[in-house]
Amino acid sequence: MGTSTNISFVDAIEKLGMNETSQGLKWVSQKEKENNEYIRLALEQADSFGAIAIYFRFFGDSNSPPRPQVYIYNLSELSLNPSKDAEIHHRLWNAGIVPYCFIFKASQILVYNCGLKPNWDHGTAEFITKAHDTISLLSDVQEKIKQYHARQFDSGLFWELEVNKNFKYGQSAYEQLLNQLKNVKAHIIEQVGYERAGLVKRVLMMLILIKYLEERKDENGKGALNPEEFYKGYNLENPTLEGVLKDADTFANMLHDLSSKEHFNGQIFDINDDELANLRQVDLVVFQHFVKGDASILPSSKYGLGQMSLWRLYQFNYLPIELISHIYEDFLADEDGKKKKGVVYTPPYLVQFLIDRCMSLNEPKEEFKVLDPACGSGIFLVGAFKRIIQWWRVRNNWAKPTKDNIDELKKLLKENIYGCDLEDEAVTLTSFSLGLALLDALSPKEIWKNVHFDKLVNNNLFSGDFFKTLYEEKLANDFDLIIGNPPFEERFTKWADIVNTSSKNNNAGRPEVPQKQIALLFLEQSFELLKEGGNTCLILPSGPVLYNTKVQDFRKYLFERNYFKKIFDFTPLRAKLFIGSSSSAKPPVVAVFAERKNPKGEVVQHLIFRRTKASSEKVEFEVDHYDIHPTLYNKALSVQGIWQANFMGGGRLHRVIEKIERATTLKSYLEDKKEKNGWKVAEGWKEAPNIPGIERAKALSKREFLTYEESIELEKLNSKYKADWITGFNYIVTSSFDENGIKETDTCTIEYFQTSSKKNKEIFRPPHLLIKESVSGTKIPVEFREDYITFKDKIIGIHAPEKEKEELQKLEGYLKNDSSVPLIWLSSGQVIGNREGVPIKDDILSLPFPQLKYNQIDKILLDDISLYYSDFRKRGEKSKILNPVNEDDLKSFGEIYCKILNSIYDNFKPLDAIIGKEFIAYPFILGSKPEIEIPETLEGVEEKLKKLIDHQASYNLWVKRIIKLYHKNIILLYKPNQKRYWLKSIAIRDADETFNDLYKQGK
């Protein structure tokens, strides 16, 4: 009897835990029966890609939309066809909608990483991408099956596994295409001349848009622009876009025809006489090669293009419309690659995240006006309009728009979508992108040829300064939502200045906008355009909104007049959130959700998003239970450091920050000492040998003979730049100065100095205290000295009279204290937002002084900031706080937790922790004998824990919860096996929450 080498598809998915009873598995064939709107849409999309099922990361209920993790294909009945498998991967890579796909064969599962670029075989002219991994269903490869088991996706731990290390956002179709387009652009500009750079970028952009029109087709292959028909009117011999590029006039005629058609009202394809004259001077063969997709014409060694055909690799039928915005923002860069000031491209996954929070698919609305006041090329408006179309479909029993109801969608666009931008071309492109969004919704696509769009530019979409548009009252004040990512520049435009002055004159007590941060003016003025109960959702710099202590007055002014419901704090993701080939700026940001209503008695939710593998690679956002901080509104108004207290753990840190804010600062202490006791405080010397004055002094000093005028000039320069109190004396080698002291000194041979502390040269004399400004460790580098020594400008010197040297020594002891650095994180706020996360001079001077008294709880909280939270801010997913827990961690946690509980209950004790593969159950007993049976292992429980602990709050937002079980005289804490859940400071917070829980239960 022969042995079958095949395994049924049902048995195969069973091996991966994706069976019929699994809540995460959804079948495409059942899409019409699906009640969850998000799932229904996802299944429709999967159907268009030929998948038969989707495995979602676990969701809690119909109002908590899931995240597709895996597309599933069943090819077990078909013969081996590597090219078909590769084509599936190719399409999904272009679409960027799902991280993985599983292709089930007769005896194996092919695992494809949809974040990795496909490979092209020039010999066979086919994609031959190999599977990322292969799971044999005939052999007992348990470890490999475990890696791709459903529970790994349910918990999110899949993204932390070694098998997933190659999932990189930089490999995505978005980033790869942008890299290649940037290189193509650079090559063509090099060929045709830098004086025509603007024309090159315009033409490339138009060619990409035409490609979109060519390739956006429906399931029957029907498209808005049929190349075989359309191009015949311009080149019968070669009716292709390449053929149309045979000369400038033919190309210009085609563009004119495109721009004159009513469904291109935005005139995106207009080309003026000057551009046409310039185009006639260009050999268009470079553009012909571009549209042909022949990247091999470019020098691969210089541009890194290799031999890949551009248009084979990228399929515009699958690439999201939002990519147009990304390309345009990239093309705004100057030839040297620098971005236009204030321009920061918003990644699509962040846009979708915010759209989901503001325009829930589960709550369809018939009328909903949206404005983006700095729309760029329309990425937010496209997302909002797509959601409005989806709402229309939900209200109409999931009908697809046809020629019979197209006027309804046109009306929705005309009456609900508005935007402004400084760049004329951006506004025109927004109009075109909105047209494409409507095209994508239509079926069949060919009916688009007969659709006549209303003109949006100058009616819905305004070019020029938003504040001018606002001042001229071109926008009504009846918007439901204002959403976007305004510029972050610290300067006002002419019209911003006018609006700012008007706002100040019309509102008594309205403070100045700090540092003329224009993003804050966008925020303030957005409320003026909302209807009562309308919402604003803007991406803003986190420093001015939360962490800069100097903006408290303006922040308080805004908070008092509007209800700030939620602040999504992406500060820890600053190095990752905007990463990409087109964005050199990486500002720390928050997304503010605020409603136009009286905020009296409300709470603002402050959610902090830490760096994880999933968030770093733009898969999904995760927020931990301990990073959700409900903050009383009166505290938000009165305690300016409340936000940095939340950032560092929250809870009882609120009391610590209030204590700090009532204290005097080190800066005020030193100012008093300078004024009354003759202390000197200043930074050290700075060389700067290349400044003109020093170069001139050096040149004159080398001459053998000087004129009288030159002698006078040299004398003045020497008086200004020489410092005989520095030259020839020992100085501190700055890099050798750390928290353990000064390790190296050298003799200063420099003669000329840009700054030399001339008015404060006593700082080099003993007794003096030396403080290094940059703090990279857990303590401030500080040293008391009783010898004459000089130092550079990155060191602060404090000199006191001999009789007060003990004061300096006390100050040294205070700064060396373990609590000094965590106090900086709390008292300054600047350090949270700066790029390196390293305290500097102003942060040190913001410390409370004289020393405050802290109780044992305060010290635990401060220690955890120093040891863990500051490191987490700097190192993200590589931080030690994400390591597994050890025995000492659990012991310390249990001791602190019980100590706090016993301040009231008196007899709580920890029992032995139960450690599973991914979770820990920690039991605590009140009394001496448990009244229930305590489990010995977590076997069979962990999968249930994952589903309870991982809660999906929206499409790409996951909340890590913890579980507290109260039964009889036992408390059981269930949490993941990571150090961050079992810190001493977390034990304090858990105990406080336990008190609250028991109080509500009447215990």
Side-chain angles (χ1 to χ4, degrees):
M1 180 180 294
T3 303
S4 172
T5 58
N6 292 347
I7 291 179
S8 72
F9 175 69
V10 173
D11 289 339
I13 63 171
E14 178 77 33
K15 279 182 173 283
L16 291 177
M18 301 178 182
N19 52 31
E20 295 289 340
T21 61
S22 172
Q23 212 168 3
L25 185 68
K26 294 291 180 179
W27 299 99
V28 169
S29 61
Q30 301 296 307
K31 63 179 182 294
E32 293 179 5
K33 298 178 182 179
E34 181 55 59
N35 294 321
N36 185 301
E37 289 86 351
Y38 286 96
I39 297 175
R40 169 73 183 254
L41 273 180
L43 291 173
E44 279 189 4
Q45 193 170 32
D47 192 19
S48 70
F49 284 90
I52 67 165
I54 305 176
Y55 193 81
F56 292 93
R57 190 170 175 187
F58 177 79
F59 52 92
D61 54 64
S62 60
N63 294 316
S64 300
R67 177 72 170 170
Q69 298 290 295
V70 184
Y71 272 14
I72 296 172
Y73 293 82
N74 180 15
L75 303 183
S76 57
E77 301 300 322
L78 302 178
S79 58
L80 292 175
N81 188 346
S83 62
K84 180 176 178 61
D85 302 339
E87 182 55 32
I88 289 172
H89 171 249
H90 180 215
R91 291 179 181 180
L92 293 177
W93 175 76
N94 271 274
I97 54 176
V98 67
Y100 276 83
C101 74
F102 291 172
I103 300 177
F104 286 74
K105 300 289 188 174
S107 61
Q108 61 184 4
I109 304 170
L110 302 181
V111 178
Y112 280 90
N113 179 339
C114 299
L116 289 180
K117 185 172 73 173
N119 298 314
W120 177 259
D121 187 303
H122 288 273
T124 61
E126 291 180 337
F127 285 97
I128 56 165
T129 304
K130 293 181 180 179
H132 172 67
D133 210 342
T134 302
I135 303 173
S136 172
L137 297 171
L138 299 178
S139 60
D140 187 22
V141 191
Q142 288 301 316
E143 282 306 313
K144 185 165 283 192
I145 289 176
K146 284 179 185 177
Q147 289 175 344
Y148 298 101
H149 198 275
R151 62 171 173 263
Q152 299 290 2
F153 291 100
D154 289 342
S155 67
L157 293 174
F158 173 75
W159 299 105
E160 309 299 329
L161 297 176
E162 181 69 15
V163 71
N164 193 48
K165 65 181 181 181
N166 291 324
F167 193 96
K168 302 289 185 184
Y169 183 72
Q171 279 278 314
S172 68
Y174 263 55
E175 290 302 303
Q176 290 291 308
L177 177 57
L178 286 167
N179 273 324
Q180 290 209 4
L181 288 176
K182 183 188 291 185
N183 293 333
V184 166
K185 178 182 66 177
H187 174 74
I188 294 178
I189 290 172
E190 190 177 278
Q191 297 298 306
V192 305
Y194 288 96
E195 69 279 3
R196 298 191 179 97
L199 176 67
V200 169
K201 288 187 276 191
R202 279 266 292 136
V203 171
L204 285 176
M205 196 75 215
M206 288 190 286
L207 293 175
I208 291 165
L209 298 181
I210 293 169
K211 275 294 183 181
Y212 257 96
L213 294 176
E214 280 188 23
E215 296 192 16
R216 300 304 267 200
K217 298 176 182 178
D218 57 28
E219 59 274 12
N220 298 314
K222 301 291 186 181
L225 189 155
N226 186 334
E228 293 180 2
E229 296 177 4
F230 181 72
Y231 296 125
K232 282 181 181 178
Y234 309 100
N235 191 331
L236 279 171
E237 296 177 3
N238 185 9
T240 64
L241 183 55
E242 179 190 352
V244 173
L245 284 164
K246 67 177 183 178
D247 61 65
D249 290 307
T250 302
F251 181 53
N253 289 337
M254 183 199 70
L255 293 177
H256 179 268
D257 288 347
L258 282 173
S259 63
S260 64
K261 293 184 184 295
E262 289 191 43
H263 49 261
F264 293 116
N265 276 332
Q267 301 174 335
I268 192 69
F269 297 110
D270 272 358
I271 185 166
N272 60 42
D273 291 341
D274 288 341
E275 288 175 324
L276 178 57
N278 253 323
L279 198 60
R280 288 189 179 120
Q281 306 300 314
V282 174
D283 184 354
L284 296 186
V285 67
V286 288
F287 293 109
Q288 287 180 311
H289 283 301
F290 172 67
V291 299
K292 186 180 178 182
D294 188 5
S296 62
I297 63 137
L298 304 179
S300 59
S301 60
K302 181 174 181 179
Y303 294 101
L305 292 172
Q307 300 296 311
M308 175 60 70
S309 175
L310 209 60
W311 303 120
R312 290 195 189 101
L313 181 60
Y314 305 105
Q315 298 177 311
F316 284 87
N317 199 33
Y318 303 109
L319 284 163
I321 297 169
E322 289 83 353
L323 181 62
I324 290 176
S325 177
H326 201 159
I327 294 169
Y328 172 73
E329 302 287 359
D330 188 68
F331 276 23
L332 277 179
D334 300 329
E335 277 60 66
D336 61 2
K338 293 181 179 178
K339 300 290 290 179
K340 285 193 174 182
K341 196 170 183 181
V343 174
V344 177
Y345 168 71
T346 314
Y349 87 131
L350 179 56
V351 173
Q352 188 60 52
F353 173 79
L354 299 181
I355 291 291
D356 283 337
R357 303 307 293 171
C358 301
M359 302 174 68
S360 173
L361 184 58
N362 297 328
E363 300 172 4
K365 296 175 176 60
E366 293 192 34
E367 296 179 359
F368 195 83
K369 284 184 69 175
V370 180
L371 167 69
D372 184 344
C375 66
S377 48
I379 191 167
F380 276 103
L381 294 180
V382 167
F385 183 49
K386 285 167 74 173
R387 179 51 47 89
I388 287 173
I389 293 174
Q390 291 163 359
W391 278 347
W392 179 90
R393 291 192 61 206
V394 172
R395 295 197 311 272
N396 288 275
N397 198 28
W398 290 99
K400 291 189 176 181
T402 66
K403 62 182 179 182
D404 298 324
N405 45 41
I406 187 64
D407 286 340
E408 289 183 57
L409 297 190
K410 285 170 56 183
K411 184 180 179 183
L412 288 173
L413 176 58
K414 181 69 176 175
E415 294 181 356
N416 292 285
I417 299 297
Y418 294 81
C420 303
D421 198 82
L422 275 170
E423 302 281 345
D424 293 348
E425 191 176 26
V427 171
T428 306
L429 195 57
T430 295
S431 178
F432 180 85
S433 297
L434 289 167
L436 273 186
L438 184 53
L439 164 66
D440 270 8
L442 296 177
S443 184
K445 295 285 188 286
E446 62 183 341
I447 68 174
W448 200 57
K449 297 174 186 176
N450 301 314
V451 175
H452 303 299
F453 285 141
D454 298 318
K455 187 175 181 181
L456 298 179
V457 177
N458 296 325
N459 292 304
N460 292 57
L461 306 173
F462 301 95
S463 60
D465 195 323
F466 163 70
F467 297 103
K468 182 174 186 289
T469 306
L470 185 71
Y471 190 80
E472 294 174 348
E473 299 183 345
K474 292 182 180 179
L475 295 165
N477 58 350
D478 62 348
F479 285 95
D480 296 278
L481 174 65
I482 295 177
I483 188 169
N485 185 4
F488 294 178
E489 291 183 271
E490 291 185 349
R491 71 175 186 88
F492 285 165
T493 61
K494 169 190 168 184
W495 286 99
D497 212 18
I498 291 171
V499 168
N500 176 63
T501 301
S502 174
S503 182
K504 190 173 180 185
N505 292 339
N506 294 332
N507 296 279
R510 188 263 201 184
E512 288 288 356
V513 177
Q515 297 177 303
K516 291 194 173 183
Q517 174 51 259
I518 200 167
L520 292 180
L521 190 62
F522 270 95
L523 175 62
E524 179 198 35
Q525 295 304 312
S526 70
F527 293 112
E528 302 299 317
L529 295 173
L530 292 173
K531 64 168 64 169
E532 188 68 23
N535 289 274
T536 188
C537 173
L538 296 180
I539 297 172
L540 302 165
S542 63
V545 174
L546 294 185
Y547 297 118
N548 293 356
T549 53
K550 295 177 182 178
V551 304
Q552 175 67 2
D553 289 344
F554 191 77
R555 179 165 58 223
K556 182 179 178 183
Y557 171 81
L558 293 179
F559 271 60
E560 286 175 334
R561 286 158 179 76
N562 307 281
Y563 172 31
F564 282 71
K565 297 186 284 189
K566 289 186 180 180
I567 298 174
F568 281 1
D569 192 344
F570 301 108
T571 299
L573 295 173
R574 67 168 297 158
K576 298 289 184 178
L577 193 65
F578 295 103
I579 196 170
S581 60
S582 65
S583 183
S584 57
K586 296 176 183 177
V589 302
V590 295
V592 169
F593 294 77
E595 182 179 352
R596 185 177 180 182
K597 79 165 195 176
N598 190 319
K600 189 175 181 180
E602 299 286 2
V603 170
V604 56
Q605 293 281 353
H606 182 199
L607 293 85
I608 301 165
F609 293 82
R610 308 289 182 180
R611 270 170 53 192
T612 64
K613 175 70 174 178
S615 62
S616 294
E617 300 303 337
K618 298 178 174 54
V619 177
E620 56 203 11
F621 293 108
E622 288 189 342
V623 63
D624 186 80
H625 167 82
Y626 299 106
D627 283 323
I628 300 173
H629 303 280
T631 304
L632 293 175
Y633 225 80
N634 67 324
K635 295 293 184 184
L637 293 172
S638 61
V639 184
Q640 62 183 11
I642 201 79
W643 314 106
Q644 46 262 45
N646 287 343
F647 193 94
M648 291 298 156
R652 295 200 193 188
L653 275 177
H654 288 185
R655 299 178 191 175
V656 177
I657 196 68
E658 290 183 79
K659 191 185 297 185
I660 291 172
E661 291 188 2
R662 289 194 296 266
T664 58
T665 65
L666 176 58
K667 182 178 181 179
S668 61
Y669 168 80
L670 292 175
E671 290 293 334
D672 186 65
K673 285 291 187 180
K674 284 165 62 179
E675 182 180 345
K676 296 178 180 178
N677 299 59
W679 287 33
K680 297 291 184 179
V681 182
E683 293 180 295
W685 50 265
K686 189 173 184 179
E687 181 183 4
N690 297 322
I691 64 171
I694 291 178
E695 287 186 331
R696 176 64 173 167
K698 287 180 178 179
L700 290 174
S701 65
K702 291 177 181 178
R703 293 185 188 178
E704 188 174 351
F705 299 104
L706 295 175
T707 65
Y708 175 75
E709 290 78 9
E710 288 173 336
S711 297
I712 298 298
E713 180 187 4
L714 179 58
E715 185 177 342
K716 289 180 178 179
L717 290 172
N718 285 342
S719 176
K720 182 176 182 179
Y721 294 114
K722 278 196 170 185
D724 57 11
W725 57 92
I726 300 174
T727 305
F729 291 95
N730 281 356
Y731 74 95
I732 297 165
V733 177
T734 307
S735 60
S736 76
F737 190 3
D738 59 24
E739 60 188 61
N740 297 312
I742 297 166
K743 298 181 181 64
E744 185 180 350
T745 62
D746 200 354
T747 302
C748 181
T749 58
I750 301 166
E751 288 189 86
Y752 295 96
F753 304 87
Q754 181 182 359
T755 58
S756 57
S757 297
K758 194 172 189 177
K759 294 180 180 179
N760 296 289
K761 49 188 167 184
E762 290 92 342
I763 62 171
F764 304 126
R765 294 176 184 169
H768 52 172
L769 187 67
L770 312 181
I771 309 168
K772 186 176 179 182
E773 293 178 15
S774 180
V775 182
S776 57
T778 58
K779 293 183 180 180
I780 298 172
V782 57
E783 187 168 307
F784 173 77
R785 304 279 295 210
E786 293 191 90
D787 59 335
Y788 188 99
I789 194 164
T790 74
F791 40 87
K792 295 184 180 180
D793 61 315
K794 297 301 180 184
I795 297 174
I796 305 168
I798 304 173
H799 168 80
E802 179 67 29
K803 63 182 180 180
E804 295 187 55
K805 73 176 183 179
E806 288 186 4
E807 292 288 313
L808 289 181
Q809 291 171 320
K810 287 179 182 178
L811 181 54
E812 178 193 31
Y814 168 65
L815 293 174
K816 281 185 174 181
N817 190 286
D818 290 339
S819 64
S820 58
V821 171
L823 285 174
I824 288 175
W825 285 87
L826 288 175
S827 59
S828 168
Q830 309 280 352
V831 66
I832 290 176
N834 71 42
R835 183 183 296 272
E836 295 80 14
V838 173
I840 54 176
K841 177 187 176 183
D842 288 344
D843 303 316
I844 295 169
L845 295 180
S846 70
L847 282 168
F849 191 81
Q851 185 169 347
L852 299 175
K853 293 181 180 179
Y854 301 105
N855 59 36
Q856 185 181 9
I857 297 296
D858 294 341
K859 290 176 181 177
I860 289 172
L861 298 174
L862 293 172
D863 283 347
D864 275 358
I865 291 175
S866 181
L867 293 171
Y868 299 110
Y869 283 104
S870 57
D871 178 68
F872 201 11
R873 156 63 181 87
K874 291 184 247 185
R875 303 184 69 232
E877 65 272 28
K878 297 178 182 178
S879 172
K880 58 190 174 185
I881 203 173
L882 300 180
N883 293 340
V885 185
N886 60 43
E887 188 177 332
D888 289 339
D889 294 329
L890 292 172
K891 182 180 178 183
S892 297
F893 179 94
E895 289 173 353
I896 298 295
Y897 181 72
C898 289
K899 183 173 182 178
I900 294 175
L901 291 182
N902 288 333
S903 64
I904 291 181
Y905 293 97
D906 196 41
N907 201 21
F908 267 106
K909 295 190 291 288
L911 299 177
D912 290 337
I914 308 156
I915 302 175
K917 295 175 183 176
E918 299 161 22
F919 294 91
I920 293 173
Y922 206 163
F924 298 88
I925 183 173
L926 180 61
S928 57
K929 184 178 180 181
E931 296 176 19
I932 63 171
E933 186 177 346
I934 307 293
E936 294 182 1
T937 72
L938 293 182
E939 188 173 349
V941 179
E942 286 201 282
E943 287 190 33
K944 294 178 181 178
L945 285 175
K946 288 170 190 170
K947 293 180 180 180
L948 289 169
I949 285 175
D950 288 291
H951 166 68
Q952 187 155 14
S954 73
Y955 181 71
N956 55 359
L957 170 61
W958 281 82
V959 179
K960 286 279 188 186
R961 303 185 293 193
I962 66 168
I963 298 171
K964 297 191 189 84
L965 176 65
Y966 303 97
H967 191 43
K968 303 238 174 154
N969 68 335
I970 293 294
I971 298 174
L972 259 172
L973 301 182
Y974 291 96
K975 297 194 280 186
N977 185 359
Q978 279 186 329
K979 195 181 288 284
R980 62 172 161 164
Y981 297 102
W982 304 99
L983 300 175
K984 293 179 183 178
S985 57
I986 295 298
I988 296 168
R989 183 163 168 181
D990 280 346
D992 289 343
E993 291 177 0
T994 298
F995 277 137
N996 191 45
D997 293 338
L998 295 176
Y999 175 78
K1000 289 177 181 178
Q1001 296 175 38
K1003 296 180 180 179

